[in-house]
Amino acid sequence: MKLYGAQTLWLVARLALATSSTTAPPSTDDPALELLFPEDFLFSSATASYQVEGAWNVSGKGESIWDRTTHEHPEKILDHSNGDVACDSYHKYKEDIQLAKSLGTPMYRFSLSWPRLLPTGALDVVNDDGVRYYNAVIDECIANGIEPVVTIFHWDLPQPLQDLGGFSNGIIADYFEDFAGLVFDKFGGKVKWWLTLNEPYTLCQEGYGNGAKAPLVVAEGRANYLCAHTMLKAHARAYRLYQRKFKAAQRGKVGISVNSYCFWPKNATDLDDQAASNRWQQFILGWFANPIFSKDGDYPAIMKEYIRDASLRQGLKRSRLPEFSQEEIQMIRGSADFMGFNTYSSRLVSSAPAGSGKPSSTALVDDGQVIVTTDPSWETTIAPWHFVVPEGMRRVLNWIKKEYGNPSVFITENGYPDGGDLKDVGRVNYYRSYLREVLKAIHYDNCTVIGYTAWSLMDNFEWFYGYANRFGLFHVDFNDPEKPRTAKMSAEFYKRLVSTRKLPKDGDVIFLPSPPSERRP
């Protein structure tokens, strides 16, 4: 067992107090059910460009890394599908905004397709149709009383930039700053809520680390760290550009959507496991949040220490984790007006001895000296990565509060996968149980949570799970060329939640689907 300082022992004690059973069923008489979300609490739903737009090669749009991946490697997708048509939101955006309006949400989060606006990724070719399309979407939102929340980048990198190495090449920060400047200039007069990047952890770890997502790079322990380094600088440069050039006139807010599971010690009374779960929270959430939201900036100290030590054990002369200059640390620190936060599930973490993996391993878990597992008693879903652990929501919100001085947190994704059921009871129960924990975090713990976004507005292309996994409040029939949308039980639940600002109880939702539309796709 390692020796721990006073600060670590204090944290371990707090973690032990916070750790409790995560498997107890929700109580229908839980007083949190009667709590109200604050009057100014912001409800939203979300989509992303590649997942819903379709029109992959029309009107001047360029190729993205997801176009290339799904076309050249359909075997990577669970149902061998792609986003060529998807929900056809390029043509049906007005209908989609009506769906959002029917929920009563004051906001709708969507993303811009970088290759639809800049086909080569650079400013030398600006696609006028892309500018027209997103202006139309934004105008339609505003005409229907909906505030657009615009994500500048949600994983669909232009393929020409990937040909340069993508985010493992630091020069992509230059291209992203140029792209951000273009969209601030073209749309910033009407958009007041911006998210620079969506889930940089997922893109870097799965796109450039283990190859589980486009662009299929397998270089864990190296390219994933380079990707993160570039993305953090890209975000900060876009933020500083907005502050310098656009903020005074446009008066908007700029944030970033980071993501993480909630990590629990596998053995709640074991000091090593408690320290490991906190260390892994730093590795995953702190990797991107600490440089922006912490008092001192930079990567978490424990992350730098462990990766440096692992690198030196392997005979390297320097850490595989790149270093920021002091100027870069200052540029990145404080570069967000709010924290967007995506979370879905939890994991158990136990400590692993240094070098317990293969000596040459550069896997993230080996750098962090952890073993990550799940609890067999947790409720499962159709997605092998997704487990229902609602208490993790409150726990991780409190971790953010403690670690970063209680920043304004906008939950920008949270949702539940199934096979496309209209009577989506599992999704309703998931929303109810997770939102109950949000209420507790707000009212009992004084966490500054300013909004909640349901993922997703409608069924869409779910990356390597294709159309087999559905997250939507609205069902989409992908077998019908018209891609008709149908409200699910969860849409009614969410609508009532938004209108009352209170969690509907079990008996509050009455849903009578019209046969024969009730079916799995």
Side-chain angles (χ1 to χ4, degrees):
M1 179 180 293
K2 292 186 177 182
L3 295 177
Y4 300 99
Q7 182 177 10
T8 303
L9 288 173
W10 174 86
L11 174 61
V12 164
R14 289 293 304 272
L15 288 169
L17 288 171
T19 304
S20 60
S21 170
T22 64
T23 59
S27 171
T28 55
D29 60 358
D30 190 319
L33 284 167
E34 300 302 322
L35 294 173
L36 293 177
F37 286 93
E39 288 282 356
D40 57 354
F41 193 83
L42 302 168
F43 286 103
S44 182
S45 60
T47 59
S49 52
Y50 183 78
Q51 295 180 268
V52 299
E53 285 180 5
W56 78 276
N57 63 348
V58 305
S59 299
K61 178 187 171 292
E63 184 185 25
S64 77
I65 57 173
W66 278 93
D67 296 322
R68 176 70 62 89
T69 295
T70 56
H71 293 160
E72 293 192 351
H73 296 283
E75 76 281 359
K76 297 286 188 181
I77 314 302
L78 183 61
D79 56 5
H80 291 196
S81 63
N82 56 52
D84 288 3
V85 179
C87 305
D88 196 24
S89 291
Y90 179 81
H91 298 105
K92 298 173 73 71
Y93 68 90
K94 289 186 178 181
E95 182 177 342
D96 296 341
I97 291 167
Q98 288 303 310
L99 300 182
K101 184 177 182 179
S102 73
L103 297 172
T105 55
M107 292 179 149
Y108 170 45
R109 180 190 173 204
F110 62 92
S111 75
L112 307 175
S113 168
W114 191 341
R116 192 177 299 284
L117 287 162
L118 298 177
T120 68
L123 292 175
D124 56 342
V125 181
V126 178
N127 181 25
D128 291 339
D129 181 73
V131 176
R132 175 207 60 79
Y133 171 69
Y134 290 116
N135 266 318
V137 174
I138 292 166
D139 289 344
E140 189 71 13
C141 285
I142 294 170
N144 284 277
I146 295 173
E147 188 86 34
V149 181
V150 177
T151 306
I152 298 174
F153 176 72
H154 196 131
W155 301 355
D156 46 353
L157 185 71
Q159 183 62 40
L161 297 187
Q162 183 56 40
D163 294 339
L164 300 178
F167 278 102
S168 63
N169 184 345
I171 197 151
I172 302 303
D174 294 345
Y175 286 95
F176 183 77
E177 182 180 13
D178 291 344
F179 175 46
L182 174 77
V183 301
F184 292 148
D185 179 61
K186 297 294 186 182
F187 313 124
K190 297 178 286 190
V191 175
K192 305 306 175 189
W193 289 83
W194 293 99
L195 293 158
T196 55
L197 306 171
N198 179 76
E199 294 191 9
Y201 164 78
T202 304
L203 178 64
C204 292
Q205 176 59 17
E206 299 187 18
Y208 294 84
N210 58 30
K213 285 186 170 64
L216 306 181
V217 174
V218 180
E220 192 170 2
R222 290 186 169 85
N224 53 336
Y225 295 153
L226 294 172
C227 170
H229 212 63
T230 302
M231 293 194 87
L232 281 162
K233 289 190 285 187
H235 156 77
R237 286 171 61 172
Y239 179 86
R240 300 302 177 191
L241 174 66
Y242 187 85
Q243 298 295 305
R244 185 172 66 249
K245 188 174 179 181
F246 299 98
K247 177 79 170 180
Q250 297 180 1
R251 305 181 66 81
K253 298 178 183 292
V254 179
I256 182 174
S257 282
V258 296
N259 68 297
S260 179
Y261 294 122
C262 176
F263 296 107
W264 304 78
K266 185 171 185 179
N267 184 338
T269 62
D270 185 276
L271 292 181
D272 282 330
D273 282 5
Q274 291 176 20
S277 69
N278 182 64
R279 180 168 70 249
W280 199 235
Q281 200 79 68
Q282 293 283 6
F283 260 69
I284 305 306
L285 178 51
W287 187 2
F288 293 91
N290 202 80
I292 299 170
F293 296 99
S294 71
K295 179 181 178 182
D296 297 325
D298 203 357
Y299 295 122
I302 199 164
M303 186 179 189
K304 294 197 295 181
E305 172 192 344
Y306 271 66
I307 297 173
R308 181 187 66 243
D309 289 352
S311 301
L312 295 178
R313 284 196 302 270
Q314 293 166 340
L316 300 175
K317 296 186 180 298
R318 62 190 63 83
S319 177
R320 287 178 276 103
L321 182 70
E323 293 185 6
F324 289 119
S325 68
Q326 283 301 312
E327 182 181 7
E328 289 169 339
I329 290 172
Q330 293 306 312
M331 175 185 68
I332 297 168
R333 185 173 60 87
S335 61
D337 300 320
F338 63 97
M339 177 190 288
F341 181 55
N342 299 355
T343 190
Y344 290 85
S345 192
S346 289
R347 293 292 185 269
L348 300 178
V349 182
S350 54
S351 180
S356 58
K358 293 182 180 180
S360 61
S361 174
T362 57
L364 195 63
V365 290
D366 290 331
D367 279 349
Q369 296 178 30
V370 297
I371 300 169
V372 182
T373 57
T374 59
D375 188 327
S377 68
W378 286 345
E379 179 186 337
T380 61
T381 67
I382 193 173
W385 61 271
H386 192 291
F387 298 81
V388 180
V389 194
E391 291 85 351
M393 173 67 88
R394 181 181 180 187
R395 179 186 175 96
V396 74
L397 289 173
N398 272 275
W399 192 91
I400 291 169
K401 172 190 172 184
K402 173 187 67 65
E403 197 70 23
Y404 306 121
N406 204 10
S408 295
V409 174
F410 196 146
I411 298 168
T412 41
E413 282 185 31
N414 181 236
Y416 177 94
D418 64 14
D421 301 321
L422 290 177
K423 287 186 177 180
D424 54 344
V425 177
R427 181 169 294 105
V428 169
N429 289 338
Y430 179 91
Y431 281 144
R432 182 184 288 114
S433 62
Y434 272 71
L435 282 159
R436 179 186 296 117
E437 298 304 312
V438 174
L439 279 169
K440 291 177 182 177
I442 293 171
H443 289 280
Y444 303 158
D445 309 326
N446 295 314
C447 294
T448 308
V449 185
I450 64 172
Y452 177 89
T453 308
W455 181 269
S456 56
L457 175 64
M458 57 192 165
D459 295 338
N460 55 53
F461 179 82
E462 283 296 337
W463 311 114
F464 278 3
Y465 292 95
Y467 302 102
N469 288 190
R470 309 289 190 92
F471 281 83
L473 294 165
F474 291 87
H475 177 277
V476 179
D477 185 349
F478 293 102
N479 296 317
D480 187 326
E482 297 300 316
K483 305 293 184 288
R485 284 79 156 129
T486 305
K488 302 179 186 179
M489 179 187 287
S490 57
E492 177 65 18
F493 171 88
Y494 201 52
K495 178 180 179 180
R496 297 192 184 195
L497 166 70
V498 172
S499 66
T500 64
R501 293 179 295 109
K502 183 173 69 174
L503 286 177
K505 295 183 179 179
D506 288 338
D508 288 350
V509 175
I510 299 173
F511 181 77
L512 298 174
S514 300
S517 60
E518 170 69 72
R519 64 182 182 277
R520 287 179 181 265

